[in-house]
Structures are given as C-alpha cells and as structure tokens.
Amino acid sequence: MKTDDVCPRGRLVRGFAQSGLVVILLAAVGGTVYPAEAGNAPFPGIKTAWHGFDRYQFEIDGRNCYVVTPKTSAEGKPWIWRARFFGHEPAADIALLARGLHVVYMDVANLFGSSRAVAHWNAFYKYLTKEHGFAKKVALEGMSRGGLIIYNWAAANPDKVACLYGDAPVCDFKSWPGGKGKGRGSPKAWSDCLKAYGLTEAEALAYRHNPVDNLKPLAAAGIPILHVAGDADQVVPLEENTRVVQQRYRQLGGQITVIVKKGVGHHPHALKDPTAIVEFVLKHTGC
C-alpha cells in the first residue's frame, strides 16, 4: 500500500477490486463473498465488518464502492457520502451510522474532481437512490483532495445535496497539487491533475471552474457548508482554500461555518470530539 502524498495517513488498497485478489484476501480473513444477485444481502459484493457495522464492497461504473449500513436506517434513508480516504478519522461517520445514516464511498482517485469523476458519482447516486431508495439529498464529506469532487459534484447537482462538510479541503487545484501559492504542492499529482482535466499548465492556471470559482449554484440552492481546517496547514493552506470559499460564499448569501484549529497543520484531520460535525449533518439531513 502506498501513502497518499496529500493525505499521508490515509491509506487504501489499490487495484485489488479490479484484479479479483480482493475476493481471495477478504475470504481468507473472514469476509463473505456474495454474488451480485444474492437475495440474502441488501447490497452485492463482499460483506465485511466495519466498526461493528456491515460493509459491502462492489463496483459501479467500473469504480470500487463501499456502502456501510446502520443497524436500523433512519426514516427516509439519509446518507453521507465520503470522498477519498475512506476510514481515516472515522469518528463522525461511526456516530452517524449509530444514528441511522448510511455511509458510502466511491473511489475516484486521481481524477481530482474532474468531469469524469462527476460522471462516475452520478452513476453511483442513481444506483443508490433508484435501486435502494436512498434519500434524494445527500450529505457530502470531503477530506483533503476530496474537497474537489464534493464541490464539483455539488455544483453540477445542487438539488441533490443536503449539506457539505469539508475537512482541510482542497478548493483550488492551483493551491494543491499545483503549489502555485504558499503550499508546497505535489509535482507528480499536478501532472496527474492536468491529465485528468485535459489541460496544459497555462490552461490550468487560467481555469475558472475550481470550487472557489463555482459557488453560485450551491448558494442559490441554499446548501449549508461546514469546514474544519488548521491555520498552520502548509499542504492545503487555509487562506488559499477555506478562507476564499468562506468569503465568496457569504458574499453570495450562502451559509458557511468554519472551525479553525489553531496551530494545526494538515494533520490531524477532523475533530477530537466530532459532535459539531455530527450535529451539523443530522440537522441538515432531517435526523
């Protein structure tokens, strides 16, 4: 397993779902393999335990997906959609599962919130809402580079978003991975980002559809936003990302709350006490 350079404590197994090795590995450690048509499981794929809850792993639109199910679903099947680094700092997700929300994830790694990533997420959303009756509006959770996809998906689908929680979120790819401001950036990830968007560097520097530039659809839809970020973050600098969103969103009449962790860098993510995050999501998903 490789450490991700923008979120080095978030790790995930790459390539196993496509190769079939994941079936062998999970079976060896007690995972149950279900055929897609199985009637004895609410979801297809591989069933394992995750912090005392059932987790199902399967593919939609060629991408690896997880759905973690609560013991009892809250009325209306509310859900929170984690972007990137599934399982990292999971306290809020676990608390929300206990309150009846589903937690879901689709891996769109190395697409950096591009139109291809948005299209994959559209397919997963359609599957969950049409086939499993999930609520039409979802809470979005984006940690680090996950900020790009949650904001871009929300801008393309503002009527489908209940609220948005960003944790040290990337809101402008020029800041990270570009490193064109105060942050250190990542040359390899910047190259991958340019390829994902089909842009030259000059075109990327002139690009005006980053989350910081595309907040109007969210404000018009009345989507509430919560950001949690450290003021000493040298990877995804607060002033180039969260503060820009905060200022522009309020100018558009949007509702945004920012929790700043004094003296904290990019890590650790989340909050020691996740209550503020949990209550924000519960309030806006109607729980």
Side-chain angles (χ1 to χ4, degrees):
M1 291 184 290
K2 293 183 179 180
T3 298
D4 193 293
D5 53 3
V6 72
C7 198
R9 298 181 191 176
R11 294 174 170 83
L12 57 105
V13 177
R14 305 176 187 277
F16 287 149
Q18 287 72 27
S19 67
L21 290 175
V22 70
V23 174
I24 298 170
L25 289 171
L26 288 173
V29 297
T32 303
V33 180
Y34 291 96
E37 68 276 14
N40 63 339
F43 292 93
I46 300 161
K47 179 183 176 183
T48 55
W50 191 78
H51 296 282
F53 298 92
D54 290 339
R55 183 181 75 176
Y56 298 86
Q57 181 179 1
F58 52 96
E59 285 191 2
I60 293 291
D61 207 32
R63 311 301 295 194
N64 187 41
C65 300
Y66 295 137
V67 173
V68 186
T69 59
K71 302 296 185 184
T72 303
S73 178
E75 184 177 357
K77 278 198 172 181
W79 51 303
I80 184 164
W81 194 340
R82 166 73 84 106
R84 255 348 230 123
F85 312 113
F86 178 84
H88 183 61
E89 297 290 355
D93 291 342
I94 294 168
L96 290 167
L97 281 162
R99 295 294 295 269
L101 276 76
H102 287 72
V103 175
V104 314
Y105 170 81
M106 176 187 245
D107 185 5
V108 287
N110 298 321
L111 293 181
F112 300 91
S114 65
S115 59
R116 284 190 293 153
V118 170
H120 287 309
W121 269 39
N122 286 342
F124 195 30
Y125 174 89
K126 182 178 181 180
Y127 169 76
L128 293 173
T129 55
K130 297 293 186 183
E131 301 298 325
H132 292 279
F134 278 29
K136 299 299 183 184
K137 290 193 174 186
V138 58
L140 300 178
E141 176 184 5
M143 188 173 287
S144 194
R145 69 170 72 181
L148 291 171
I149 180 59
I150 62 169
Y151 269 102
N152 290 346
W153 193 82
N157 299 276
D159 59 323
K160 299 178 177 67
V161 180
C163 60
L164 186 153
Y165 156 49
D167 196 293
V170 177
C171 303
D172 186 341
F173 61 41
K174 296 189 299 297
S175 175
W176 191 93
K180 304 306 179 183
K182 295 181 179 179
R184 62 176 178 254
S186 168
K188 174 60 167 63
W190 180 232
S191 176
D192 291 342
C193 182
L194 295 179
K195 291 176 183 176
Y197 280 81
L199 300 172
T200 65
E201 180 163 271
E203 290 169 338
L205 296 178
Y207 188 74
R208 291 295 177 266
H209 296 285
N210 270 287
V212 293
D213 306 309
N214 202 20
L215 296 168
K216 189 174 181 179
L218 283 69
I223 298 172
I225 295 174
L226 170 66
H227 276 204
V228 175
D231 65 0
D233 193 334
Q234 297 179 7
V235 179
V236 183
L238 180 74
E239 298 301 327
E240 297 172 8
N241 294 274
T242 288
R243 288 302 192 201
V244 178
V245 169
Q246 181 182 30
Q247 179 184 13
R248 293 181 180 179
Y249 204 58
R250 286 178 176 171
Q251 288 174 345
L252 291 166
Q255 175 189 339
I256 180 169
T257 300
V258 175
I259 299 174
V260 176
K261 298 182 288 187
K262 299 293 185 181
V264 175
H266 197 58
H267 293 282
H269 282 291
L271 298 170
K272 290 182 179 179
D273 178 356
T275 299
I277 299 166
V278 172
E279 290 182 348
F280 171 79
V281 174
L282 291 175
K283 176 181 177 180
H284 296 294
T285 53
C287 296

